[in-house]
Amino acid sequence: MTDEKQNIEIRSGEVQEILGGVPSRLVRYGVLVFAAIFALIIIFSFVFHYPDILRSKIVVTTENPPATLVARATGKIDQLFVSDKEKVEAGQIIALIENPANYMDVLQLETLINKLQPNFDTLNFTPVVHLSRALQLGPVQEYYSQFLTRFQELKEFSERNYYLLREESYKEQLKNARILYDRMWEQKVAIDKEYQIKQRNYERQKKLVAGEVIATTELEKAESEMLSKKSQLDGLRSDLAQQQIDISQLDQKIIENEKEFHDLKIQYESALLEAFNNLKSASSDWFLTYLLRSPIDGTVSFNKFYAENQNIEQGDRAFTIVPDDMGAVIGKVELPVRGSGKVNEGLNVNVKFDNYPYMEFGMVRGIVKNVSLVPEDNFYMVEVNFPDGLTTNYGDQLQMQNQLTGQAEIITEDLRLIQRFFNPLKALWKERVK
């Protein structure tokens, strides 16, 4: 009875109301806390931004970057003309690498080439100049010998005057031939008149014989004289024709002589010009191979502790010329094609340099200045400017070296979190609508 009584009391309406009811204050506070949390999430999703970032490698240098001198030959440093940290000018010789040529002889050759250049520019191939045969030029020697040979050939050809003398001889023969032709013409005119007289005399004698005034012997004599003059006249005409042929042949010989002279002259001059250009090229190659020159004005820095008689290998970065005015700092980013359409001028770029760990030194901020119109090898070239130089977000000023490499983070879109959440839903909705 006692158990049944207790069961009835537990299931009674009063007990159930007490056990099943939730305190109204807890409900209110719970709803308020949930609403506050949800509101904070919504607010934070509007306040906080989540940027879209494209990452790629960057190389940072200056508008006037340092120039590196690379050895193009292997050997010892024969002569060192400057010292470390010395001011140099563009074209100044820094060092000479050991080679078979005599340095002073090569300089003498360079002076000779510069002296001859105006003559060859004006096609004056026979300048008055002394060419030494005792120069020791190493790899340039062969080209210098060829130039000497071609120069001597043209000089002898010009000094010999063979074709000029032969032309003068032909002209003298032509002059005499024309004088002889004129005299033969005068003789022919005189004989032609005599022939005309003999012919008229023959006609008269012929009429007299017909009238039986004179004997036939007189007619025969007149006819013989006429035929004799005619024969003499025909002979002169043949001689005149032959003389005219001789004159034409002499004219042709003069023309052929001039053509042969000009052809040979052009041949010698072309050979000399070719030898001169080959010599210039070989000399330039020697200077590029064995001499290290400064390409710009600046300060020379030795990449290694080089000294005379120290070995240097081909491809060694021997010296660096730091310009006095390096200009503004610029960066070059190779941007992959994927996602590159988001990159435009004016976007912010965060740069983390390999030389300076960003956790210790910070990042350098830059701005996209230019984007190439077409890709090369599936990469766009992006140029980045640094308005504050190499000052990091920590306030540190980084030291500019020959060039700096690192990681560039291009911030393409700085969207709110709420936009990040709704963009996928928006895309799905558009796809379903279509």
Side-chain angles (χ1 to χ4, degrees):
M1 286 295 292
T2 303
D3 295 336
E4 292 178 0
K5 184 177 179 179
Q6 291 177 352
N7 187 26
I8 292 171
E9 290 176 354
I10 291 172
R11 294 183 179 181
S12 63
E14 294 80 358
V15 175
Q16 291 295 327
E17 183 178 355
I18 294 171
L19 295 176
V22 180
S24 59
R25 182 178 294 177
L26 181 61
V27 172
R28 289 197 301 271
Y29 283 131
V31 172
L32 287 175
V33 170
F34 178 78
I37 294 173
F38 184 75
L40 286 175
I41 293 174
I42 297 299
I43 292 172
F44 288 158
S45 66
F46 277 95
V47 173
F48 291 102
H49 292 70
Y50 183 79
D52 189 8
I53 297 175
L54 291 178
R55 294 178 173 83
S56 186
K57 292 183 178 181
I58 186 172
V59 177
V60 177
T61 181
T62 59
E63 290 179 332
N64 302 316
T68 301
L69 300 183
V70 179
R72 293 185 174 88
T74 299
K76 293 181 179 180
I77 295 182
D78 192 17
Q79 296 184 51
L80 196 58
F81 299 95
V82 298
S83 57
D84 194 19
K85 304 297 187 298
E86 183 179 333
K87 289 283 187 179
V88 295
E89 298 178 353
Q92 184 174 341
I93 299 174
I94 307 299
L96 170 66
I97 300 176
E98 185 181 30
N99 66 96
N102 183 287
Y103 176 57
M104 299 307 298
D105 287 350
V106 178
L107 291 182
Q108 183 178 344
L109 174 63
E110 183 182 32
T111 303
L112 174 64
I113 291 175
N114 294 333
K115 183 179 180 180
L116 290 176
Q117 187 63 61
N119 295 95
F120 283 88
D121 290 340
T122 56
L123 301 182
N124 178 18
F125 295 105
T126 55
V128 180
V129 64
H130 173 68
L131 300 178
S132 175
R133 294 184 177 272
L135 299 182
Q136 184 179 344
L137 303 174
V140 189
Q141 192 72 49
E142 176 185 357
Y143 299 95
Y144 183 65
S145 299
Q146 291 178 359
F147 174 74
L148 286 178
T149 302
R150 300 295 177 264
F151 185 85
Q152 191 63 31
E153 288 176 350
L154 179 59
K155 184 179 179 181
E156 292 178 358
F157 173 78
S158 302
E159 293 176 351
R160 217 172 28 233
N161 290 331
Y162 169 74
Y163 290 92
L164 180 61
L165 294 175
R166 190 165 70 173
E167 181 177 353
E168 291 178 354
S169 175
Y170 285 149
K171 287 182 178 180
E172 184 66 24
Q173 294 179 40
L174 180 62
K175 176 183 176 181
N176 294 331
R178 286 175 175 169
I179 292 175
L180 179 60
Y181 179 84
D182 292 340
R183 290 178 179 176
M184 291 175 65
W185 179 263
E186 292 174 357
Q187 187 177 2
K188 177 254 182 189
V189 170
I191 292 177
D192 186 43
K193 289 181 179 179
E194 292 180 1
Y195 170 70
Q196 297 296 331
I197 294 172
K198 295 296 182 182
Q199 189 176 26
R200 288 196 297 271
N201 181 53
Y202 170 72
E203 294 297 331
R204 285 195 298 270
Q205 296 294 333
K206 191 176 180 181
K207 291 178 181 179
L208 292 174
V209 169
E212 296 181 351
V213 176
I214 61 174
T216 56
T217 55
E218 295 295 331
L219 177 62
E220 292 174 354
K221 181 180 178 182
E223 183 179 7
S224 175
E225 291 177 353
M226 181 192 69
L227 293 176
S228 175
K229 288 296 178 182
K230 184 176 182 303
S231 176
Q232 188 176 359
L233 180 63
D234 291 341
L236 279 173
R237 286 174 176 171
S238 300
D239 293 340
L240 283 171
Q242 183 61 46
Q243 191 67 18
Q244 186 64 43
I245 292 174
D246 293 341
I247 291 174
S248 299
Q249 288 177 347
L250 286 172
D251 285 332
Q252 184 65 29
K253 285 181 178 180
I254 292 174
I255 294 173
E256 291 176 353
N257 182 72
E258 290 179 353
K259 182 179 183 303
E260 186 176 351
F261 170 76
H262 286 295
D263 289 346
L264 282 175
K265 183 180 179 183
I266 291 174
Q267 179 180 338
Y268 283 123
E269 290 176 347
S270 299
L272 179 60
L273 181 60
E274 182 181 1
F276 180 72
N277 290 331
N278 291 338
L279 178 62
K280 281 200 310 180
S281 178
S283 178
S284 298
D285 288 343
W286 186 92
F287 279 100
L288 289 174
T289 304
Y290 298 106
L291 279 185
L292 297 175
R293 295 177 185 256
S294 173
I296 57 175
D297 296 337
T299 303
V300 61
S301 174
F302 289 11
N303 292 352
K304 295 183 180 180
F305 297 98
Y306 282 114
E308 291 185 0
N309 296 321
Q310 183 176 352
N311 286 325
I312 189 171
E313 298 291 333
Q314 183 178 1
D316 282 352
R317 299 163 65 90
F319 309 97
T320 299
I321 311 299
V322 181
D324 297 330
D325 181 15
M326 299 183 68
V329 179
I330 56 174
K332 298 290 185 180
V333 179
E334 286 188 347
L335 187 66
V337 174
R338 182 178 179 84
S340 60
K342 301 179 181 180
V343 179
N344 298 309
E345 297 179 9
L347 294 180
N348 292 323
V349 182
N350 294 330
V351 180
K352 303 173 183 178
F353 291 108
D354 297 336
N355 299 36
Y356 301 96
Y358 79 96
M359 294 296 291
E360 179 180 353
F361 294 91
M363 300 182 298
V364 177
R365 301 192 183 279
I367 297 176
V368 174
K369 178 185 178 182
N370 185 35
V371 182
S372 62
L373 298 178
V374 294
E376 184 176 352
D377 297 332
N378 293 325
F379 285 95
Y380 284 93
M381 186 60 67
V382 178
E383 185 176 345
V384 179
N385 272 357
F386 297 92
D388 300 327
L390 296 181
T391 303
T392 67
N393 57 341
Y394 289 179
D396 294 337
Q397 180 66 36
L398 303 184
Q399 183 67 32
M400 183 61 200
Q401 301 170 4
N402 189 2
Q403 66 178 21
L404 295 173
T405 59
Q407 186 78 9
E409 298 178 349
I410 303 177
I411 303 173
T412 58
E413 291 181 300
D414 196 7
L415 300 178
R416 295 181 173 88
L417 290 176
I418 192 69
Q419 291 176 290
R420 294 287 181 186
F421 177 75
F422 281 108
N423 278 346
L425 299 178
K426 180 180 178 182
L428 290 174
W429 172 258
K430 288 186 176 181
E431 288 180 1
R432 294 192 65 181
V433 168
K434 291 180 180 179

